[in-house]
Amino acid sequence: MSTRPAADAPPVRRARQGRAQRRESLTALGMVSPAVFLLLLFFVIPVVLAFALAFTNARLVSPVPAQFTGLQNFRTLLDDPLFYKSLRNTFYFAAVVVPLQGGLALVLALLVNAKVKGVNFFRTVYFIPVVTSMVVVSILWTFMYQKTGLVNELISHLSLGLVQGPDWLNNPSTSMPAIILMSVWQGVGFHMIIWLAGLQTIPQDLYEAADIDGATRWVRFRYVTWPGLRTTCTFVLITITIAAFSLFAQVSVMTQGGPLDSTTTVVYQAVQTGYAQQQTGYASAISLVFFVLVLAVSLVQRFLTREKG
């Protein structure tokens, strides 16, 4: 009896396995290619172009081709007082929003994590502003912040007419706090959900053990809840920081950078420089410097909130 088919079986099987693996690889490549294409089109290519244009005098619409100018845009940026003011406004916004929004979101998450009747209703209410367009929210709050708007009417009624609210968006001292309040209200629901997801990953056995030991609520939070939220905390802080540094839509809709540049941010200045003033090269330099600053802040924040072994 011939044994040749048995001897040929392993090579045939390996060939079939190789064809199957190639088909799987081609299928995976076909599935991932749209995402890779969009990532290249809307992220990688713009970043490379911004880096290249930052060293030229390119304009958005100009019959003269762009010329290489070296570090001229960065020297101009260092002498630009508006850039320092927008940078100060951006850091001011982030310094207030990050702890306020993160802390308030954690408090709301702790409240809605309680097993009480009707908690799903409150989860929905807190999350509604998140699914609403920022432009729509900004327009709505612009009307509320008017001199005769809802905010001032509430202040007047609560103080029995003794206190009259300011013209929030037209006053340099109140315009940025007004935007901060609106931004926290709009974004707190999203990070509440993130905190809530982190809370629900903490084993209930730890809470039961703490109850047996007679731990108070504060002790349970300090030694059980907070250590279990360490990774969630890092994610929440980084996402809020990045969103805070990219402040643009609220400023564009509500104040257009005013009054007296009190709400101008780095992103808003870059957009205005690149599109309104058509100085594409200078706007790219602003964006490049801002990217480095945000990256540095994020790395420092990640280092400070890392898990210490």
Side-chain angles (χ1 to χ4, degrees):
M1 181 180 292
S2 175
T3 60
R4 187 173 182 78
D8 290 343
V12 172
R13 187 161 51 250
R14 286 195 296 269
R16 290 176 179 175
Q17 291 175 350
R19 287 194 295 269
Q21 290 177 353
R22 285 194 294 271
R23 284 196 298 269
E24 291 179 358
S25 299
L26 290 175
T27 302
L29 183 61
M31 290 182 175
V32 78
S33 57
V36 173
F37 173 75
L38 294 176
L39 187 65
L40 290 172
L41 182 62
F42 293 105
F43 179 74
V44 177
I45 294 177
V47 168
V48 173
L49 285 177
F51 183 84
L53 291 174
F55 299 93
T56 68
N57 61 350
R59 296 184 62 85
L60 185 62
V61 179
S62 175
V64 180
Q67 296 179 348
F68 179 78
T69 58
L71 299 177
Q72 180 59 43
N73 287 327
F74 298 95
R75 286 193 289 266
T76 303
L77 186 63
L78 293 177
D79 295 330
D80 188 356
L82 180 59
F83 174 73
Y84 291 103
K85 194 166 188 177
S86 63
L87 193 64
R88 184 170 61 250
N89 292 336
T90 301
F91 275 95
Y92 167 44
F93 180 86
V96 177
V97 167
V98 172
L100 181 61
Q101 184 169 315
L104 182 58
L106 176 58
V107 172
L108 293 178
L110 291 171
L111 292 176
V112 300
N113 192 45
K115 294 179 174 60
V116 296
K117 189 175 181 180
V119 70
N120 289 331
F121 169 77
F122 291 100
R123 292 180 183 178
T124 304
V125 169
Y126 296 146
F127 194 74
I128 284 177
V130 179
V131 298
T132 307
S133 169
M134 178 59 78
V135 174
V136 174
V137 172
S138 299
I139 294 174
L140 175 64
W141 279 73
T142 299
F143 287 110
M144 292 173 57
Y145 278 137
Q146 289 180 351
K147 187 68 176 177
T148 57
L150 178 61
V151 174
N152 284 345
E153 289 295 325
L154 287 176
I155 293 175
S156 179
H157 280 81
L158 292 176
S159 65
L160 301 178
L162 299 177
V163 179
Q164 299 297 324
D167 191 358
W168 293 90
L169 299 179
N170 292 317
N171 188 331
S173 62
T174 59
S175 54
M176 184 58 80
I179 292 179
I180 289 174
L181 176 62
M182 185 274 291
S183 300
V184 170
W185 174 85
Q186 193 274 341
V188 71
F190 173 76
H191 293 96
M192 176 199 72
I193 297 298
I194 304 300
W195 283 119
L196 184 61
L199 287 171
Q200 294 178 351
T201 61
I202 301 175
Q204 291 298 316
D205 297 344
L206 298 178
Y207 290 108
E208 293 174 0
D211 290 336
I212 293 175
D213 292 338
T216 62
R217 289 187 177 183
W218 168 246
V219 172
R220 288 176 55 188
F221 176 80
R222 181 178 179 182
Y223 293 103
V224 179
T225 303
W226 186 246
L229 293 175
R230 186 66 59 85
T231 304
T232 306
C233 176
T234 302
F235 176 78
V236 168
L237 290 180
I238 291 177
T239 53
I240 296 179
T241 300
I242 294 174
F245 275 113
S246 60
L247 173 65
F248 171 75
Q250 302 94 304
V251 173
S252 180
V253 173
M254 301 176 72
T255 62
Q256 295 78 49
L260 302 177
D261 297 321
S262 60
T263 58
T264 298
T265 61
V266 177
V267 175
Y268 183 80
Q269 182 190 4
V271 173
Q272 286 294 107
T273 303
Y275 289 96
Q277 302 174 17
Q278 299 190 8
Q279 299 179 24
T280 310
Y282 187 49
S284 298
I286 296 175
S287 302
L288 187 59
V289 171
F290 184 61
F291 168 76
V292 173
L293 290 174
V294 174
L295 179 62
V297 171
S298 298
L299 291 176
V300 170
Q301 194 177 59
R302 179 68 181 88
F303 175 79
L304 295 176
T305 56
R306 74 191 189 283
E307 292 188 11
K308 299 178 175 63

